[in-house]
Amino acid sequence: MSTVNQVMVEKYRNDFLKEVKANVEEGDWVQMCMQCGVCSGSCPFGPYWEHPPQEIFMMIRAGKRDEVLTSDSMWMCTSCYNCIARCPRELPITHIMHGLAHYADRLGLAPKNQPTRKFAIKFWNNLAKKGRVNELKLGLALYFMNGFVEGIKTALKNQKLGLNMVKTKRMNVMEMVGGHSVKDTGGLHAILKKAREIEEAKAAEFKG
Amino acid sequence: MADIIATNETILVVGGGISGMTAAIEAAECGKQVILVEKNPAVGGRVSQLYKYFPKLCHPSCGLEINLRRLKANKNLRLLTMTEVTEVSGEPGNYSVTLKTAPRYVNENCTACGACAEVVDAEFDSEHNYGLSKRKGAYLPNLMAFPQRYVLDPRIIGTPDATKAKEACKYDAIDLDMQEESHTLTVGAIVWATGWKPYDANKIQPYGYDRIANVITSVEFERMMDPHGPTGGKLLRPSDGKEAKDIAFIQCAGSRDRNYLKHCSRICCMASLKQTTYVREQYGDEGKSSVYYIDIRAIDRIDDFYQKVQADETVTFIKSKVAKIEEDKETGNPVLHGVNTEGYHRYATPHDLVVLAIGMEPSVPAGDFPIKVSVNENGFIEQDEANGAIFAAGCSADALDVNRAVQNATASALRAIQVVNQVAGTEG
Amino acid sequence: MAKKEYSFYPGCSSQKGASASNYQVSVDAMCDVLDIKLNHIPDWNCCAASIGYAGGGELPRLALSARNMALSEQANPDQDLVATCAACWLATRETKERLQNDDSLMAETNEALAAAGLKVEAKQNVRHMVEVLIEDFGYDELGKHVKNPLEGMKIAGYVGCQTNRPFGIDGESFENPKYLDKLVETLGAEPVDNYDKKVSCCGGALAFSEPEKSQALIRDIIEAAYDGGADLIVTPCPVCQMNVEVYQDQINAKYKTKFKMPVVYYSTLMSVAYGKSGKEAGLDGQIIPAKPLEKIAGK
Amino acid sequence: MADEIKIGAYICQGCGIGDRLDTAKLAQVAQRDAKANVVKEHEFLCSAEGVKMIQDDIDNEGVNRVAICACSRRAKTDAFNFENVAITRGNLREGVIWVRPDTDEARETTQDMADDYVRMAVVEAKFQKPPQGDQNTQYTPNILIVGGGVSGMTAAVEAARAGYQCSIVEKTGALGGAAANAWKRIPQHAPYADPEDTGVAELVAAVEGSDKITVHLNATLTKTSGAPGRFSADITTESGSTTTENFGAIIQASGYTEYDANKLPELGYGKSPNVVTQAELDAMAKEANGGPLKTQDGKDVNSVVFVQCAGQRSEQKGHLPYCSGHCCLTSIKQAMYFKDQNPDIDTNVIYSDLRTPGAGGEDFYRSGQRKGVTFTKGQVNEVVAGGDGLEVKFKDLILNEDAVEKADLVVLATGQVANSGVDIEAVVKIEVEDEEGGGEATEEKEVKVEIPVDSILSLDYRQGPDLPQLKYGFNDSHFICFPYETRRTGIYTTGPVRRPMDMQQAIEDATGAALKAIQAVENAAKGRAAHPRSGDLSFPSFRREGCTQCKRCTVECPFGAIDEDEERYPLFNEERCRRCGTCMGACPVRVISFENYSVDTVGQQLKIVDIPDEFEEKPRILALACENDAYPALDMAAMNRVEYSAFVRVIPVRCLGSVNLIWITDALNSGYDGVVLMGCQKGENYQCHFVKGSEMAHERMSKVDATLQSLSLEPERITTHEVAITDIERAPQLINEMAETIEKIGMSPFKF
């Protein structure tokens, strides 16, 4: 992955704004920010952002590439859409944050042990496999994502929860074998593969 | 009203606020025939509801007094109140205009003695005080009101109050049978000066104007400061009537925002800076003003006013668009949540009272303008050849402060004069 | 009223044995009363929710929803596409709008879909079940079917985020939507007025990855409901329901609170009020039993 | 008939006057004491019949002085409006019954009050003449415009369109002014997205194409004399040839000079050729004529930094304290010069507050962002020329850190400095200082007369060659509601000389100024006063034989209306006069008066007031109130039924500046116990619409203490106040305070 990073560094030299505009979902919007800060003030996880959205936009303009892409701030987005609803300039901030997170991950710069990053990746892999989410596998995978011992702890902590879910038929132990899936998994995988190819190609051929 | 004389050398001015009055008076003092129509019972418009002007902190009623004297003295100028323009057709130098005059139920016999108001019981929200106080169903719009003539609120017509009012008038000035009148006349040019209205604060949901008692608008705050306003010049909290000493001003409340008005209303920054001086005037060092802003737009020469306010240690400036306001249920204090973007400082600050520096929404009937004129997406009339001899003045043209509105209105008056002079020229 | 048909997108969490299976149960009961026919989109797939972004990226993510729309267009043309899950609805509607406003994106998406022999036009309306209830039926009509009014019950309408922003229900404000309160009234119960956490975030998917941070938010949501004197909380979103209900033990442990606040779906409320049994209303899916509702459902 | 005075006194009984007062007695007073020829009462004087009754007397009885004893002079003006007669008003409603309690004990003093107001109204009428207006004006309607920039040309074109002949006097060899060097201008039309053509060429074409506009290039004014309607201007060309022309009004559009960036070495100006001002950048763009802009050494430009507020909005010595208003928009426009050429050129605007007001402004800001112009809230400290290009050192106020940005080109947003000619008040100050030999005077001098500037107008006025300046060198109006008011009648300023502004504002402003010039011409033609006493036909006349040549009137006239003739007598220029009466107030020998406002019209009023002897315990207070603010305030107090002392007699005056000391001494001599003067706010933010009136009154009153001592009277008997029109509670209170004071110190010994 980090080779991709090298490529991008080469391509955009130190012009991070152009890089973001070209490669990040809704990245074009970054330049429209007028630094009012309403997004930063609206985020439910606000206090946990080392750099709130409006500041990230400023950092992008200031060319602080590493600081932004290695930051775990974007990973704090809960997708509550408050920022989008209130932004006076109609910036799709939620999506820009998602886009930056994804881009950072693609370049291999995202913080390795960021829990939400891990979860998000696992979630995607989980659904991409069969086309539908297997909540049990996802759940377990989640408990163990920080290693076995941690996993046992979390699992125990959530044992009661799990049992409750099972009791109320909102979790099915049988999902370990088989479980929900789309019929046309082949087609689905083909679609995702193609989509990914198109996206990669675009990023590659774009001349800053 | 049947005796209105108008020709295609007459200039029609629509709107009797500071811009319309200026356009009308300036043109009339150049010797032109002018008809000035105002939809309210008295002229003066928004400025008559202001306590002080920035940056001089002088009183709008002072200039209004002069303009009223000019208006009273000028025989070229005909004023029609409670009148609106319903139709316009024709071309430069020859417009046919239809005017609709609502019944005042009071004729020119009125001496403004006030006998009718004394006997009427019904009370309604005072328009002059933005509903912060009540007024009688028979009333003089305000102390400076011109024409100095009472009005009967249509809502009392047909009620015993109306009859009581009529009986109380010794001068046969009350005519309960007055009907809406419509007149069509010819004019050569039209100056459109219908001004602005405060943006509807209820629409700015994050600030809870509709839910939190101690969140008010800048225009309401202005009325509060007037010694003869609804609170007798005191800053009282709507929730509990206590004096508010720690006051937050939220800039761009409805302005510079794609969710509301996307334009900058220009006046709000100076208005809030002015209003911080009210707080100081009331409480000295006891008072506290906090201005939450994106950019302080104290434009040109009057930037020194901003510098003066900055020097006041009771005033703090926070570069931040407030994210949301919550109410502290115990104290009734509005709590402001947001981030000061100068160095990223998160805040959750309670204040006694929050003043929304409310945006300026043009009162141009964008959708159903009586004749084709080009209106931009902000709702202001564009200067455009295609508008023929219809000229916007003041806040029908752009978000302007009083000084610029008057300047613009004076220019519009000349544009109108050019048209009617041409008519006069061609007609010998 | 004549039978109404919709192209239905159930979503992963509503599947048998999944976290919102009880939601589906109650929705079916509700639709039965209102004579709504839900035509399930054949072989629908996951929408990637709002958390799929990191792995997926833009186009693959959009392609997932596009596939659902394509299948819906095939199977149930000239029907509105309806989802009960906030995330499903949001992801699908977002995709629809993005595709319609961006021709190149539309082309790329169809290029991807072509790999499975599919094509999307993104013309169907994409709606949340709540929109269907309010816009196609209206409170009066919904009220007509009430058999057992939920009298004496005080209910906090927790709208949450994704059914409210960025699209929301037409005519409702982002900060203070009233539709759940109106619905509660329609069903004969009393809403908690100015429930000031009604649109606060529960942490969404981050309840998994950032439990402490999220549970702090959830605590406030429940606390505010208690402050408002609520007997239970009602919500239109599976994630909200799950997060607010299932972590109460952990929150009690951490914050020394004594929360035991039932959290139910609007469809559960309606089914009970419409005279359905507790089972039909999905009450057996409650981890924290909704006693007041059980009483009425018991009748 | 004009000289045969016939006074009609009409007493209204309406609005409760009849119930509260003995109007028969009022009629008797009018006849017996005040000697009115015709006296009538009417139950409803402002009614059609009432008005007709008066009109009949005018038409059939030859009544030519009408004293209306009814409501305030501010009320019912439409009804009481008769041609060719002098009209006075006795204020029995707002002035008497509405401010007095309706009680038995109050009845007598209230009636006394009314009696006096009737006497006063009648005697005032007696000493008034209906103003005829100045008949003999030989006037020209042509308009002189000084300056051939956008403002000047616009004024000319707009005035010409209205049918008026104009002459433009331009100091340089070409029309166009500063704008001529600009490449594009800030957009003036929706969607406000792109810079648009300056329109200067079209404007020049319109000027040259008009048969109503004459242009004098390389020319300046060497002598301007006269008055509205009859200005005479010497127009002198470089070559030295002078022509003299007559004009009706003058518009000064002398524009601005860009702030001298050499005062900003810290920003690298003068050190690197690639640090330029906004004006220089626009010149470069014009030079490039649509092609790519290069650095001075011909290299491609890859990055440009715009430094806002360069030497502006700063208290630092030598910097401009104000904001020039247009610079933010101008920088956005200029950044677009680059972006529209090549989107890859980095353009960064470093600002402290981005000021893009109004609808167009904010749209243009967004358009700039859309085109990729970046904006940084920051404070630039230094610009240094590095090895490769420039380094801009600034504090990033958002990221809260010191930052350095490399740039090939740096543009400084320096401000506008008004070309307002000679600061005549500075000069006057020095004169005054010299007379008194003040210590700080010398310092004052150094500060003020920094750079000797050429006069713009070369006015042959006693008060100096140019217009008084308001602030920071701008010739702006002092009044919010009246942006075109200058202190020289018939001369209007427009464009950046008035206030910093961009082209769009200048065009609006110049169009308005053209109207004011036209208005001045039309007023002069009919001998009418200009604002604020618009339409007033009276004018000052003066008795030469009585004059002692003390020069007070010429010095104190706020509008420079009075010159001195060769024999050093005051020479009144009626068309310049605003009818405030300051000269009348200043004159120690009382030789100046107006037909309808004179030492007598007021003096006789206060003398005819009945002064009871001291044992009657009925003191008398004279209140002289400014007719524009204090008097309306008292009216509104009455509308609110605020009560005040029955011992006061209020006389409205045009301006406190018109108050002649003789009125005060007369009042004291005739036994008044106190005098209250109410004028407008004075000082820097003065509210007096005649500029110095209130100031001068306070000044004069501060000197009457001596007089009082000589009469062995307590100084508290005279108070002078600044009263605003909103002082509805306070104005009555000031009167009551005087009443209390008198109760304390006792009645005046001067009662006979």
Side-chain angles (χ1 to χ4, degrees), chain C residues 156-283:
Chain C
Y158 174 52
V159 177
C161 299
Q162 297 194 342
T163 13
N164 184 42
R165 294 178 300 264
F167 303 117
I169 307 303
D170 216 21
E172 293 282 8
S173 100
F174 292 142
E175 311 291 333
N176 186 28
K178 299 248 175 63
Y179 62 88
L180 281 180
D181 302 340
K182 290 186 202 142
L183 189 62
V184 164
E185 266 170 343
T186 309
L187 301 176
E190 180 193 354
V192 172
D193 54 4
N194 61 55
Y195 172 41
D196 55 15
K197 293 289 174 208
K198 68 161 60 158
V199 294
S200 305
C201 182
C202 67
L206 275 66
F208 280 108
S209 52
E210 298 277 9
E212 286 73 18
K213 300 186 178 79
S214 303
Q215 287 175 20
L217 300 178
I218 296 167
R219 180 201 53 202
D220 296 346
I221 292 163
I222 301 167
E223 204 162 54
Y226 274 112
D227 293 348
D231 303 307
L232 46 91
I233 291 175
V234 62
T235 174
C237 167
V239 181
C240 298
Q241 196 282 337
M242 165 111 177
N243 285 351
V244 179
E245 184 187 27
V246 306
Y247 294 108
Q248 293 192 24
D249 290 343
Q250 294 184 21
I251 290 169
N252 288 336
K254 184 156 194 270
Y255 296 101
K256 308 277 163 288
T257 49
K258 294 196 172 55
F259 293 161
K260 211 173 187 348
M261 175 68 70
V263 184
V264 304
Y265 294 102
Y266 62 92
S267 46
T268 305
L269 279 188
M270 291 171 74
S271 302
V272 171
Y274 287 175
K276 293 285 183 181
S277 74
K279 194 167 187 324
E280 293 166 305
L283 281 174

Side-chain angles (χ1 to χ4, degrees), chain B residues 241-262:
Chain B
K242 288 211 202 83
E243 274 202 309
K245 294 193 171 181
D246 175 355
I247 293 157
F249 297 88
I250 298 186
Q251 299 311 110
C252 303
S255 304
R256 299 183 69 185
D257 192 326
R258 299 297 292 242
N259 302 307
Y260 315 114
L261 302 169
K262 75 181 176 63

Side-chain angles (χ1 to χ4, degrees), chain D residues 318-615:
Chain D
H319 286 194
L320 304 177
Y322 52 87
C323 154
S324 291
H326 73 91
C327 329
C328 286
L329 288 159
T330 299
S331 288
I332 294 170
K333 174 194 77 174
Q334 296 185 335
M336 287 182 180
Y337 291 170
F338 296 94
K339 281 291 181 184
D340 291 345
Q341 275 274 332
N342 168 7
D344 284 344
I345 299 174
D346 292 325
T347 55
N348 188 9
V349 179
I350 304 180
Y351 67 95
S352 56
D353 290 287
L354 203 76
R355 295 180 168 176
T356 57
E362 200 64 11
D363 283 345
F364 196 49
Y365 176 22
R366 274 188 294 266
S367 176
Q369 288 179 301
R370 216 169 283 113
K371 292 182 179 193
V373 181
T374 60
F375 295 83
T376 304
K377 185 174 169 87
Q379 178 58 52
V380 176
N381 307 316
E382 198 184 2
V383 177
V384 289
D388 52 343
L390 302 156
E391 279 191 345
V392 181
K393 298 185 173 167
F394 66 100
K395 170 90 187 287
D396 184 319
L397 293 167
I398 296 297
L399 301 180
N400 192 28
E401 63 186 15
D402 292 322
V404 180
E405 178 163 350
K406 289 202 171 303
D408 302 326
L409 205 58
V410 169
V411 184
L412 304 181
T414 52
Q416 297 180 330
V417 180
N419 296 337
S420 45
V422 180
D423 182 350
I424 61 168
E425 267 159 342
V427 176
V428 170
K429 237 187 221 75
I430 289 156
E431 264 184 21
V432 176
E433 244 76 277
D434 287 351
E435 281 164 19
E436 295 163 6
E440 302 109 19
T442 46
E443 256 181 304
E444 187 82 33
K445 202 178 285 170
E446 280 158 16
V447 183
K448 293 288 185 184
V449 196
E450 226 170 39
I451 344 124
V453 277
D454 299 339
S455 168
I456 305 278
L457 297 174
S458 304
L459 292 172
D460 187 24
Y461 283 26
R462 189 198 188 285
Q463 282 78 354
D466 282 308
L467 296 178
Q469 298 172 6
L470 176 62
K471 210 167 188 191
Y472 309 135
F474 292 97
N475 294 121
D476 201 352
S477 157
H478 181 63
F479 301 104
I480 313 294
C481 320
F482 308 105
Y484 291 104
E485 279 322 297
T486 58
R487 282 156 56 183
R488 297 294 177 265
T489 312
I491 306 177
Y492 299 94
T493 60
T494 184
V497 68
R498 206 159 82 67
R499 188 184 68 211
M501 59 177 82
D502 61 26
M503 244 181 273
Q504 170 167 29
Q505 294 180 53
I507 289 168
E508 282 302 300
D509 191 46
T511 310
L515 177 136
K516 295 303 289 188
I518 289 168
Q519 197 178 66
V521 168
E522 297 302 328
N523 280 331
K526 302 186 175 50
R528 284 192 314 230
H531 174 96
R533 292 191 58 82
S534 322
D536 187 345
L537 288 171
S538 70
F539 54 86
S541 59
F542 117 99
R543 233 176 348 98
R544 194 182 171 96
E545 48 280 15
C547 174
T548 62
Q549 298 188 333
C550 74
K551 292 210 215 71
R552 289 211 185 115
C553 55
T554 53
V555 172
E556 292 187 4
C557 174
F559 302 98
I562 313 171
D563 296 327
E564 280 148 33
D565 64 17
E566 45 295 322
E567 295 162 62
R568 312 208 69 201
Y569 280 104
L571 181 63
F572 285 82
N573 296 277
E574 286 119 27
E575 305 89 336
R576 288 192 213 161
C577 171
R578 301 286 183 89
R579 281 70 165 176
C580 59
T582 300
C583 50
M584 184 172 105
C587 183
V589 287
R590 303 181 294 287
V591 295
I592 305 169
S593 63
F594 298 77
E595 298 114 306
N596 54 0
Y597 187 59
S598 65
V599 169
D600 277 342
T601 57
V602 174
Q604 296 300 329
Q605 284 188 68
L606 65 92
K607 284 187 193 146
I608 201 166
V609 166
D610 168 61
I611 308 284
D613 64 46
E614 53 204 296
F615 313 105

Side-chain angles (χ1 to χ4, degrees), chain A:
Chain A
M1 276 302 238
S2 58
T3 53
V4 187
N5 183 29
Q6 288 315 317
V7 176
M8 293 305 170
V9 174
E10 281 314 305
K11 192 194 294 178
Y12 296 98
R13 291 179 314 278
N14 52 10
D15 201 336
F16 188 32
L17 178 58
K18 286 201 183 76
E19 180 178 357
V20 169
K21 285 167 73 172
N23 301 345
V24 172
E25 182 171 355
E26 303 279 15
D28 278 331
W29 282 93
V30 170
Q31 64 196 23
M32 296 307 292
C33 170
M34 63 172 169
Q35 293 296 315
C36 74
V38 82
C39 49
S40 309
S42 297
C43 182
F45 270 18
Y48 312 117
W49 292 66
E50 187 192 0
H51 305 296
Q54 134 275 331
E55 191 185 13
I56 288 177
F57 298 148
M58 200 64 222
M59 291 165 77
I60 292 172
R61 293 186 207 163
K64 297 175 176 289
R65 188 174 188 274
D66 294 352
E67 275 178 69
V68 169
L69 294 176
T70 59
S71 160
D72 85 335
S73 290
M74 301 84 83
W75 300 97
M76 292 297 155
C77 174
T78 65
S79 308
C80 75
Y81 288 81
N82 263 319
C83 49
I84 287 189
R86 291 180 188 156
C87 177
R89 287 294 184 82
E90 281 184 335
L91 272 73
I93 297 160
T94 309
H95 302 295
I96 302 171
M97 291 302 117
H98 292 175
L100 282 168
H102 171 67
Y103 188 59
D105 188 59
R106 228 165 87 195
L107 301 179
L109 297 175
K112 290 276 157 298
N113 293 320
Q114 215 295 330
T116 302
R117 175 185 159 276
K118 289 181 166 177
F119 173 49
I121 300 292
K122 291 203 168 12
F123 184 91
W124 175 262
N125 296 341
N126 181 299
L127 76 89
K129 199 128 160 259
K130 292 191 157 180
R132 296 189 187 177
V133 174
N134 180 328
E135 289 177 339
L136 182 62
K137 284 191 182 155
L138 179 64
L140 292 178
L142 200 64
Y143 299 153
F144 293 96
M145 74 184 177
N146 302 332
F148 188 75
V149 182
E150 267 305 301
I152 297 299
K153 287 211 198 98
T154 337
L156 288 173
K157 188 149 150 259
N158 291 292
Q159 188 182 32
K160 186 146 177 281
L161 190 163
L163 285 174
N164 284 332
M165 294 298 280
V166 175
K167 270 197 259 142
T168 55
K169 308 206 174 47
R170 289 164 64 179
M171 192 186 280
N172 178 0
V173 192
M174 293 314 291
E175 284 218 2
M176 283 309 285
V177 291
H180 298 291
S181 167
V182 299
K183 296 187 201 69
D184 180 17
T185 41
L188 185 92
H189 292 153
I191 291 173
L192 293 176
K193 185 158 164 297
K194 187 68 191 165
R196 176 58 53 88
E197 281 168 17
I198 297 170
E199 209 162 58
E200 296 290 347
K202 247 192 346 196
E205 126 269 310
F206 188 92
K207 297 280 162 287

Side-chain angles (χ1 to χ4, degrees), chain B residues 111-183:
Chain B
T111 65
C113 69
C116 53
E118 279 170 33
V119 298
V120 167
D121 298 320
E123 289 195 330
F124 303 97
D125 284 350
S126 153
E127 296 81 358
H128 187 65
N129 289 333
Y130 291 105
L132 294 175
S133 70
K134 299 282 182 192
R135 54 136 178 100
K136 287 293 194 77
Y139 65 105
L140 195 63
N142 63 70
L143 288 175
M144 293 282 294
F146 183 81
Q148 194 184 37
R149 197 185 297 171
Y150 275 63
V151 197
L152 260 55
D153 192 303
R155 288 166 288 189
I156 72 165
I157 301 306
T159 72
D161 265 338
T163 352
K164 275 195 271 173
K166 185 169 177 52
E167 285 157 359
C169 182
K170 293 204 193 86
Y171 311 110
D172 196 22
I174 293 181
D175 172 2
L176 299 176
D177 306 325
M178 244 184 224
Q179 298 298 324
E180 179 180 291
E181 289 183 39
S182 181
H183 290 272

Side-chain angles (χ1 to χ4, degrees), chain B residues 379-400:
Chain B
F380 299 100
I381 297 175
E382 283 280 303
Q383 218 185 92
D384 187 337
E385 293 293 323
N387 295 350
I390 294 167
F391 307 102
C395 294
S396 293
D398 195 359
L400 298 172

Side-chain angles (χ1 to χ4, degrees), chain B residues 199-247:
Chain B
Y199 184 74
D200 176 4
N202 287 322
K203 292 184 184 160
I204 314 171
Q205 278 289 311
Y207 296 160
Y209 177 81
D210 59 341
R211 310 187 289 280
I212 307 171
N214 295 328
V215 175
I216 65 170
T217 65
S218 45
V219 289
E220 292 166 347
F221 188 80
E222 196 70 13
R223 292 310 304 142
M224 280 194 181
M225 282 309 303
D226 184 335
H228 308 281
T231 57
K234 287 201 151 33
L235 301 180
L236 304 182
R237 305 205 322 167
S239 70
D240 51 17
K242 288 211 202 83
E243 274 202 309
K245 294 193 171 181
D246 175 355
I247 293 157

